[in-house]
Amino acid sequence: MPSFDDTRCMSPATKSRGMQVHTVRDLGAAVRQARTDQKMSQAELAAKVGVSRNWIMRLEKGHPRLEAQLVLDAMAAAGVALTTDTDDESLLEPTDSAWTEVFADLAVKPKEDSDSRLPSDDKPPSDG
């Protein structure tokens, strides 16, 4: 089964056009648009990816339960590149407080002192 990891097969028109994807249906629409821009049939795309035409149909309709790697392979074969972006610069680099929060549960916490843990010669004198 082929695995696509580059954009050499992308047409110039597809490379320049961007689309925001918010749902699996949007992703399927992007694949369909790229495929039709290249005048590629569903059967041809399926052959490139190593899946059935029915699988490509489900992808293009936005079926939510398809194997992620095959979806990425189909996107690459159709000439769709996946990029991520964030508008919030604070999300790009974790802050010290974010790291502190992540590792807080892993830190060794001292247990409460109890008389039973003190050595016998350090125990407080008994009243009796």
Side-chain angles (χ1 to χ4, degrees):
M1 180 176 309
S3 179
F4 299 93
D5 61 359
D6 62 33
T7 58
R8 288 181 287 183
C9 60
M10 291 177 68
S11 69
T14 306
K15 285 182 185 178
S16 64
R17 197 175 346 164
M19 175 181 181
Q20 288 192 351
V21 174
H22 299 283
T23 65
V24 178
R25 181 172 276 171
D26 293 343
L27 188 60
V31 170
R32 181 177 48 253
Q33 184 64 53
R35 177 184 60 76
T36 58
D37 284 353
Q38 296 178 54
K39 303 192 182 343
M40 185 187 310
S41 71
Q42 288 176 331
E44 290 169 326
L45 179 56
K48 282 186 171 190
V49 180
V51 296
S52 68
R53 180 175 168 267
N54 182 276
W55 190 94
I56 296 296
M57 291 171 56
R58 291 189 338 219
L59 170 63
E60 291 183 354
K61 288 181 180 180
H63 192 280
R65 298 190 188 272
L66 299 173
E67 184 181 333
Q69 185 59 56
L70 287 176
V71 171
L72 294 172
D73 290 348
M75 290 170 57
V80 177
L82 178 64
T83 59
T84 60
D85 191 17
T86 179
D87 292 336
D88 187 353
E89 292 293 323
S90 68
L91 297 176
L92 297 178
E93 292 293 328
T95 62
D96 287 340
S97 62
W99 284 117
T100 301
E101 185 177 325
V102 167
F103 291 109
D105 291 336
L106 299 176
V108 176
K109 297 178 183 174
K111 294 184 179 180
E112 292 181 23
D113 288 336
S114 70
D115 290 343
S116 63
R117 291 185 45 217
L118 294 173
S120 59
D121 57 330
D122 290 342
K123 284 189 179 181
S126 62
D127 292 338

